Amino acid sequence: MSRNLSDVKIAALSAFFKAPWRARRHEDPPPTSDTGARPSPSEEQAGPGAVGGESTLWRMRTTVKDAPGSLAALCTALAGHRVDILSLQTHPLGEDTVDEFLLRAPAALASADITRAVADGGGTGTWIERADAHDLVDAPTRILGLATRTALDAAELPLALRQLLGRCTIRSLPGTPVGGGRGPGDVPVEGVLEDTVMRLRAPEGGVITVERPYLPFTPTEFARARALVELDARLGPRIPRGQDVLTLPEGDDITVRRADTGCLEAARAMHERCSARTLGRRYHGPVGDADRYLNHLLSPRFGRTLAVWTPSGRIVGLGHLMWDGDETEVALLVEDQWQRRGIGRELLERLVGMAVEAGCTSVYAVTQSSNTGMVAAMRGLGLPLDYQIEEGTLVITARLDSVGVAAESFSHSGESGNA
């Protein structure tokens, strides 16, 4: 069953390609006290049963001596401030233990007050941030959920690692860089843990690097991350196989579905049919180099790709949502004779929907000010946009925190059944 292209209403965005201007990063560590990671007042309330009225949920981690009575002293200190311990995980570290708490505290109690109470109870190296209702799910249930998502879609691995480990920067480095040169170096099968950095061998070669400068990783976290990567490696390449059949305004039918490296030849054939101007706008470099990027772009390890197929079996459009460290990029390529028919807008809306589902707070696109089609597609999202021009390159960033789209809107993200 077909549906009109104009009926699709999603919203959000992101893709790949690191131009020189992307050297900027946002890696300043959050403060050691309240990081304000989840500041929404409506989410901070613990709901019924709060002690003394309204309360706030906190995630806290502190180190105590691995000795009888140390945890009891800490709990007593928290109880003195009417702080309720909802859950506790322990991470043994030889003579010490890192304890991770989910706390419910009176709303008037500041994070600094909690930190002082913990210090009085013998805790050191304390880190605390706001939590919300999602953190009420117990750790085994949450980890099983992340494993399930990873098993269904190889592109979920970086997202699952981020949800497992909290706010961190994750980069997948290919064994052989796209532009040539030296790779990231070998990593032992068991991986490497270095305080605030862990390096894991990627299933397809290369390295997955996870950095969290403000909070060292524990051996327990390292073991969990390594288990997720091992699961991904054992399952091999995979993507959801659902698809949507859409009808363009002119009456032509197209099919939108996820793509991976199995679509490499069809994607190269589309490159050959594209003009040098179209390829130049997409890849911001020598047109002859375009094919070199495709294997990387189509790999689920680095993000998600949507392909638009004709009934004759040709790819006429590609949309990429690429994980770029702690940021997300979106990029589009539509074959010349299929441009200005709504395909780019369709891909962009679906990619933005995927970004929203993945918990991304923003997405950016790299283009040229003369690329009116891409600029119009970004503006058509109806999202707050920031514009930057650096060395003749236009960078458009869409903020997704204001997206108010019903959950059912995302069922058309290229992973659902035939529409």
Side-chain angles (χ1 to χ4, degrees), residues 15 108 144 154 163 208 229 310 333 344 413:
L144 284 172
Q163 291 193 23
I208 297 173
V229 174
T310 65
L333 177 65
S413 61

Side-chain angles (χ1 to χ4, degrees), residues 173 175 183-194 197-202 205-209 222 226 229:
L173 306 175
D186 292 332
V187 171
V189 175
E190 65 275 12
V192 175
L193 174 59
E194 299 170 336
V197 179
M198 64 172 73
R199 294 188 296 145
L200 302 163
R201 181 180 292 184
V207 177
I208 297 173
T209 301
F222 180 56
R226 191 171 57 191
V229 174

Side-chain angles (χ1 to χ4, degrees), residues 1 24 119 132 167 181 204 206 212 236 247 251-252 267 294 308 315 329 334 343 358 375 386 388 393 410 412-413 416:
M1 176 180 178
R24 65 178 178 83
D132 61 30
R167 285 177 299 146
E204 73 293 338
R212 192 176 63 189
T247 301
D252 297 310
L294 277 176
V308 177
I315 290 181
E329 185 182 355
V334 179
I343 291 177
V375 175
D386 296 326
Q388 265 185 297
T393 299
F410 299 125
H412 301 302
S413 61
S416 60

Side-chain angles (χ1 to χ4, degrees), residues 7-178:
D7 291 340
V8 181
K9 302 294 180 185
I10 308 181
L13 92 330
S14 164
F16 170 69
F17 279 109
K18 296 177 180 170
W21 64 268
R22 292 306 300 170
R24 65 178 178 83
R25 292 287 173 193
H26 309 290
E27 296 180 348
D28 295 332
T32 56
S33 59
D34 174 19
T35 62
R38 300 175 178 86
S40 173
S42 62
E43 292 182 340
E44 293 168 7
Q45 307 308 319
V51 177
E54 293 185 346
S55 62
T56 302
L57 294 176
W58 297 93
R59 288 178 59 231
M60 185 189 74
R61 181 176 292 198
T62 192
T63 302
V64 298
K65 290 295 182 183
D66 188 7
S70 59
L71 180 57
L74 182 59
C75 294
T76 300
L78 290 172
H81 290 74
R82 296 192 301 165
V83 176
D84 187 17
I85 298 173
L86 302 181
S87 69
L88 167 65
Q89 292 186 67
T90 61
H91 303 254
L93 294 175
E95 295 183 355
D96 297 323
T97 299
V98 174
D99 290 333
E100 187 170 348
F101 297 88
L102 179 63
L103 306 174
R104 180 194 286 131
L109 190 66
S111 61
D113 297 327
I114 300 175
T115 301
R116 281 193 292 270
V118 169
D120 292 341
T124 61
T126 302
W127 171 87
I128 188 170
E129 73 168 0
R130 297 286 179 88
D132 61 30
H134 297 92
D135 292 301
L136 292 172
V137 178
D138 68 283
T141 300
R142 184 162 55 90
I143 293 170
L144 284 172
L146 296 176
T148 300
R149 289 177 52 181
T150 302
L152 293 174
D153 186 351
E156 288 285 332
L157 179 61
L159 301 176
L161 288 172
R162 184 172 293 136
Q163 291 193 23
L164 175 69
L165 302 169
R167 285 177 299 146
C168 56
T169 299
I170 299 175
R171 294 188 175 90
S172 294
L173 306 175
T176 303
V178 174

